[in-house]
Amino acid sequence: MMSSNQPNDQHNQKALLLNSNAFFNKKFIAVLLIILLTVAIVFFLNTKSPYKKIVIEDIHTGDTMWQEEVEKGDWFSHRYIHSVEKSPVEEKFKVDEDWVILTMESWTKSFGAGLPYERKGDVEMKDGYYILRNLNRPVHGGVLRMQPSELFPHSFFFEEQEVVLSEPPYSDTQILIEIQDMTWKDKLMATFG
């Protein structure tokens, strides 16, 4: 003989089973969405962006010491006191349409050892400087290599920023300056700091 509670029990078991399946389905979908979102973010941050950055890097360790987003047509420069001639030098560079660093200008007070001397581009004399302009000469190997010293002032200039290369951590470190791809992670960090 069937009790009168049996249909109710079966109905409650079916409802409980349906509710537990619904809970399981919602939990499964939530976990799946979190996994997919995580994979998408990791993929997004590790792919190359169309943006580039100018980087000062330690040659030996590959550590980035300074970086900033750069665009085609941007200029940068460095100024230093030449270690042999003891005279000021400024070299100006431009990032061209192919992301190549071009030497554009050289300002010197003499033409001694290790200083620019080629008569290329336009030459003029101004405020005691010999100025070589419109050189449009690609930097050898696409990177500038240098070893700043604490003994003589040496600074790097980009936009409104000055990086004093003759002070730690740059001084007495072999560095390179180059254009690199900027990852989406770099772009987000530059945007949102």
Side-chain angles (χ1 to χ4, degrees), residues 74-78 89-96 100-107 116 118 120-121 132-144:
D74 280 351
W75 285 62
F76 64 93
S77 65
H78 73 117
V89 177
E90 182 172 8
E91 295 178 308
K92 297 182 181 184
F93 304 90
K94 178 182 174 183
V95 179
D96 79 358
V100 173
I101 298 173
L102 300 176
T103 302
M104 296 300 293
E105 295 182 12
S106 178
W107 294 54
E118 292 181 89
K120 291 186 176 180
L132 306 174
R133 294 186 198 267
N134 300 315
L135 298 172
N136 292 306
R137 186 177 59 230
V139 171
H140 180 70
V143 298
L144 294 166

Side-chain angles (χ1 to χ4, degrees), residues 66-169:
W66 177 92
Q67 69 180 15
E68 194 66 43
E69 185 175 349
V70 68
E71 296 179 4
K72 295 175 181 178
D74 280 351
W75 285 62
F76 64 93
S77 65
H78 73 117
R79 284 186 219 143
Y80 60 98
I81 300 296
H82 192 272
S83 61
V84 176
E85 294 293 319
K86 307 293 190 271
S87 64
V89 177
E90 182 172 8
E91 295 178 308
K92 297 182 181 184
F93 304 90
K94 178 182 174 183
V95 179
D96 79 358
E97 292 300 311
D98 296 319
W99 300 105
V100 173
I101 298 173
L102 300 176
T103 302
M104 296 300 293
E105 295 182 12
S106 178
W107 294 54
T108 61
K109 290 211 173 195
S110 68
F111 288 103
L115 291 169
Y117 63 89
E118 292 181 89
R119 186 173 173 103
K120 291 186 176 180
D122 303 323
V123 180
E124 70 177 91
M125 182 84 169
K126 181 178 177 182
D127 299 328
Y129 282 92
Y130 298 100
I131 305 169
L132 306 174
R133 294 186 198 267
N134 300 315
L135 298 172
N136 292 306
R137 186 177 59 230
V139 171
H140 180 70
V143 298
L144 294 166
R145 290 177 176 80
M146 58 188 74
Q147 183 165 352
S149 168
E150 291 179 356
L151 300 176
F152 302 101
H154 192 167
S155 291
F156 170 84
F157 299 91
F158 178 71
E159 295 178 342
E160 301 299 317
Q161 298 181 56
E162 177 181 2
V163 178
V164 181
L165 300 176
S166 52
E167 294 178 359

Side-chain angles (χ1 to χ4, degrees), residues 5-19:
N5 287 340
Q6 201 171 22
N8 254 352
D9 288 340
Q10 286 177 345
H11 178 71
N12 287 341
Q13 286 176 349
K14 284 182 183 179
L16 184 62
L17 184 62
L18 287 174
N19 285 338

